[in-house]
Amino acid sequence: MNETYLDKSKTFFEFSHKRMIGENHMQHNSDPNYWDYLLCDIKNSPENWSGKKALDFGCGCGRNIKNLLDLSSWEQVDGCDISKKNADYSKKWINSQYPDKKIKTWENSGENLQPCEENYYDFIMSHIVFQHIPSYSIRFSILEDIFRCLKKGGLVSLHFQDLDI
């Protein structure tokens, strides 16, 4: 069941890539909760993150990677996405703006962060990604893998989109 769901998700986000390039979810940059909750630790104390490593899970076309690079002097900011087109585009887009920064992006399976190393990142974020994953077991698998990849004492910042119900 998960394999079918993951295949359909991968196909959907590959198909949506051109639309995502155009918008790159920039409308979310105007949300104060994005800056005041999700990224507040980096925004308020950028010196604490200088020389450290960050990962954006569900990086899309790279908006969050760019915002992290704008906020602090990271050693490395990476991104992974279920869409290979998005992961490849985000690296190209970020490299055009930050050619001297160490950036790695990759396509993940949709159920983990592989091939991410254990205890590697100081900060892992995900912005409005988990609401696209209706399977509890897949969400749980991703959360377990986020903590596998996080260094001891690191910070995870997750945001589910606020939906009117």
Side-chain angles (χ1 to χ4, degrees):
M1 180 177 144
N2 284 346
E3 189 172 320
T4 301
Y5 162 74
L6 291 171
D7 290 341
K8 287 180 180 181
S9 291
K10 196 171 282 286
T11 300
F12 173 78
F13 284 104
E14 288 289 305
F15 176 78
S16 302
H17 172 69
K18 284 187 179 179
R19 178 185 52 81
M20 290 180 72
I21 290 173
E23 67 180 44
N24 206 351
H25 295 292
M26 292 296 187
Q27 72 273 18
H28 297 296
N29 280 353
S30 63
D31 180 0
N33 291 333
Y34 175 76
W35 301 102
D36 295 339
Y37 293 103
L38 188 70
L39 296 176
C40 68
D41 288 290
I42 291 91
K43 182 181 110 178
N44 294 336
S45 301
E47 67 282 355
N48 292 343
W49 302 97
S50 181
K52 296 193 175 181
K53 297 173 187 162
L55 174 69
D56 177 20
F57 171 76
C59 67
C61 292
R63 176 182 64 91
N64 294 320
I65 296 171
K66 180 188 180 306
N67 289 341
L68 285 169
L69 288 166
D70 288 345
L71 288 172
S72 186
S73 298
W74 300 91
E75 174 188 333
Q76 181 175 342
V77 179
D78 297 335
C80 66
D81 198 275
I82 194 170
S83 165
K84 180 169 177 24
K85 288 180 182 177
N86 285 347
D88 291 348
Y89 178 86
S90 64
K91 180 168 179 55
K92 181 180 172 184
W93 184 63
I94 296 300
N95 281 337
S96 73
Q97 298 176 54
Y98 287 96
D100 60 331
K101 289 293 184 178
K102 187 176 176 184
I103 297 162
K104 180 173 61 175
T105 63
W106 66 90
E107 172 191 19
N108 69 309
S109 68
E111 59 186 339
N112 58 48
L113 280 62
Q114 300 294 333
C116 181
E117 295 178 44
E118 192 170 320
N119 301 314
Y120 190 77
Y121 291 103
D122 302 285
F123 179 76
I124 299 177
M125 69 173 290
S126 184
H127 184 236
I128 62 168
V129 173
F130 280 87
Q131 73 269 11
H132 297 293
I133 307 169
S135 167
Y136 171 81
S137 64
I138 293 173
R139 285 192 311 260
F140 189 78
S141 175
I142 291 167
L143 288 170
E144 281 186 318
D145 215 37
I146 283 173
F147 284 98
R148 179 188 66 80
C149 299
L150 189 69
K151 288 181 181 178
K152 184 176 181 177
L155 179 66
V156 173
S157 189
L158 306 175
H159 181 242
F160 289 70
Q161 184 174 7
D162 300 326
L163 302 172
D164 292 333
I165 298 177

